[in-house]
Amino acid sequence: LIKGGVVDEKGQVKYFLVIQTDAEKGKEEVILRLKNLISSLLSSSLSRKEKILGIGIGSPGPIQLAEGIILTPPNLPGWKDVPLKDILEKEFGLPVWLNNDANCAMLGEHWLGAAAGAENAVMLTLGTGVGGGIIIENKLYQGEDGTAGELGHMVIVKDGRKCGCGNKGCLEAYASAVALEREAVKIGLKFLNARDIFILAKKGDKKAKKVIEEMIEFLATGIANLVNIFNPKVVVLGGGLIKSSDLFLAQLKEKVSQKAFKIPAKTARIVPAILGDRAGVLGAARLVFSD
Ligand SMILES: [Zn+2]
């Protein structure tokens, strides 16, 4: 899905739209849809006589940040080195900010969500993959080339499961919703979505329990690493898997506190994201306002 909104400087979402991505139809079609979405948002704003400062975009990575080029995102087939910032600036005559979607979610949650008021925070989005974002001293940490925060690709198992990035043993291969669903099928459950696997485990199904416990163990390992490295005030967990946080968060917290050093583990609150769909839109808007 592509989500878009008109956001004011206080973070009020004035107008919100969601459309299908239809990524399988290819690059041209997706860009066309994106342009149409932006046009609708702009005309809604125009009709209210609002002044638009710029366009913020959160997109699947990897991204060449300075130039606003989307390189070769695994989830957007056929995309290679797309200068999206240029394309949209030419089309709309407004400045465009581009960043990866997980960073935008982190920015949104830090602005107005679960990490509001935390000077230091990290976020993991547990969905199709595992995205990450890092806030250090109230600023998004982007690294030397703007590629920092790929927390889903920290290796937690030597020679472990194959990851979509080509490496082995990444957190993403153990803690995404897709990984959970795949492992459940591997040990003989019929295909279920992540939420149903959690519910089955709660009802006492041994196989479901086993895959869930494994997932929690690996996720806790990843979070304990983050807690030891960053000493964050808040660890925000977002993405589809978090709809089931009522069924696993307590156990996850327990495991993290066993694995991490005592002091940072005591500081870090592990909390579900609260902005849902809107985190990315708010974060993308934040790119515009905070520049
Ligand atoms: Zn990876």
Side-chain angles (χ1 to χ4, degrees), residues 218-230:
F218 288 122
L219 180 56
T221 302
I223 294 174
N225 288 338
L226 296 173
V227 163
N228 285 347
I229 295 168
F230 294 105

Side-chain angles (χ1 to χ4, degrees), residues 146-226:
T147 61
E150 289 294 345
L151 306 179
H153 300 284
M154 73 166 112
V155 175
I156 55 164
V157 179
K158 180 179 174 287
D159 291 326
R161 294 180 197 159
K162 213 165 180 316
C163 178
C165 73
N167 207 348
K168 281 181 179 171
C170 299
L171 179 64
E172 173 164 307
Y174 295 85
S176 67
V178 169
L180 179 65
E181 290 159 5
R182 196 176 45 222
E183 287 309 302
V185 171
K186 258 193 207 158
I187 68 161
L189 288 168
K190 66 175 169 74
F191 179 83
L192 293 167
N193 67 36
R195 173 95 195 158
D196 290 336
I197 301 169
F198 278 106
I199 292 170
L200 202 59
K202 206 72 182 174
K203 285 183 183 155
D205 182 277
K206 283 208 174 94
K207 285 175 179 167
K209 263 184 155 162
K210 184 168 180 287
V211 282
I212 298 275
E213 257 160 37
E214 244 177 42
M215 189 277 285
I216 292 174
E217 183 77 33
F218 288 122
L219 180 56
T221 302
I223 294 174
N225 288 338
L226 296 173

